[in-house]
């Protein structure tokens, strides 16, 4: 496979030995910035109009170059920060829940993750890269990180847009919670693979009906919300699906 070229305007913000002079990303081993002991990868432009945030895992970091290149197809100026999590099920789940597949349940530590974003990550990035105080912040993610983004917007009005690609809206209790604690963001992107709801897992099979209902509810409340159906199952082209979500959120939250 040929290496993906990162456009010069969105190469890693801080130059490291992991980049060539042409700006191509060779390795994800060296973080661009460390915030409270956590390594974060930052791409983009110093005169950004949008701050894009995504909670990621190791698998997603391996395809981050293609995601960034796809986001950069937008003509919007952005700064993008990928923030890895150590325990996906615990750090991104809004409350505790039993295992839905396998043996690992959910620890319900999303509140701690959101506090880290709002109290550490965002202020640090604004100061480090001289971002305007009123910069538009878009929180996005894939799968459980997509659900985290939606949930985070029920807790704060900080985010101008939410980019939720194949979000885990099957999560136990989520739909009832959102009815009582509505999403604040007025620009919400939702997507799902057209095969995702066709699963034998009864909990996860609810994802199709739930995302249709969520889209309908947000639209009725007056939010600018789109539900896009992608071809395939949950694990197909997650990088490109997430990039598409961020591009839409930037365009719509102008």
């Amino acid at each position: 496979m040929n290496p993906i070229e990162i456009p010069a305007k969105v190469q890693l913000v801080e130059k490291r030995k992991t980049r060539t002079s042409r700006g191509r990303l060779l390795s994800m081993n060296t973080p661009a910035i460390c915030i409270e002991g956590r390594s974060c990868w930052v791409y983009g432009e110093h005169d950004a109009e949008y701050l894009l945030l995504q909670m990621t895992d190791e698998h997603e970091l391996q395809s981050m170059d293609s995601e960034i290149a796809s986001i950069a197809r937008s003509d919007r100026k952005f700064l993008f920060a990928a923030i890895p999590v150590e325990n996906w099920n615990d750090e991104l789940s809004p409350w505790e829940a039993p295992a839905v597949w396998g043996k690992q349940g959910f620890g319900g530590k999303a509140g701690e993750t959101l506090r880290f974003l709002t109290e550490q990550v965002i202020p640090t990035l604004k100061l480090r890269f001289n971002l305007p105080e009123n910069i538009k912040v878009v929180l996005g993610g894939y799968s459980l990180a997509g659900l985290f983004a939606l949930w985070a917007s029920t807790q704060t009005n900080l985010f101008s847009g939410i980019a939720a690609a194949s979000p885990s809206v099957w999560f136990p209790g989520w739909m009832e919670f959102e009815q009582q604690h509505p999403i604040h963001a007025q620009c919400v992107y939702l997507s799902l693979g057209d095969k995702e709801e066709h699963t034998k897992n009864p909990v996860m099979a609810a994802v199709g009906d739930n995302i249709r209902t969520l889209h309908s509810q947000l639209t009725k409340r007056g939010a600018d919300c789109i539900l896009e159906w992608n071809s395939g199952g949950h694990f197909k082209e997650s990088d490109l699906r997430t990039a598409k979500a961020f591009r839409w959120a930037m365009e719509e939250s102008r």
Side-chain angles (χ1 to χ4, degrees), residues 12-78:
L12 280 171
V13 170
E14 296 190 352
K15 294 184 178 181
R16 302 284 182 172
K17 293 181 180 179
T18 50
R19 284 182 30 242
T20 67
S21 60
R22 296 177 59 193
R24 179 166 61 85
L25 183 64
L26 295 180
S27 171
M28 293 293 291
N29 293 330
T30 305
I33 189 172
C34 185
I35 302 176
E36 288 296 305
R38 185 179 298 197
S39 300
C40 304
W41 281 262
V42 184
Y43 305 77
E45 301 170 87
H46 287 275
D47 56 345
E49 305 169 83
Y50 298 88
L51 175 58
L52 311 181
L53 303 173
Q54 181 182 343
M55 309 307 296
T56 64
D57 63 7
E58 286 296 327
H59 173 74
E60 289 177 320
L61 285 175
Q62 298 305 312
S63 59
M64 194 55 65
D65 49 358
S66 62
E67 181 178 332
I68 295 300
S70 183
I71 295 175
R73 289 167 48 193
S74 169
D75 61 0
R76 303 295 164 192
K77 296 181 179 179
F78 65 87

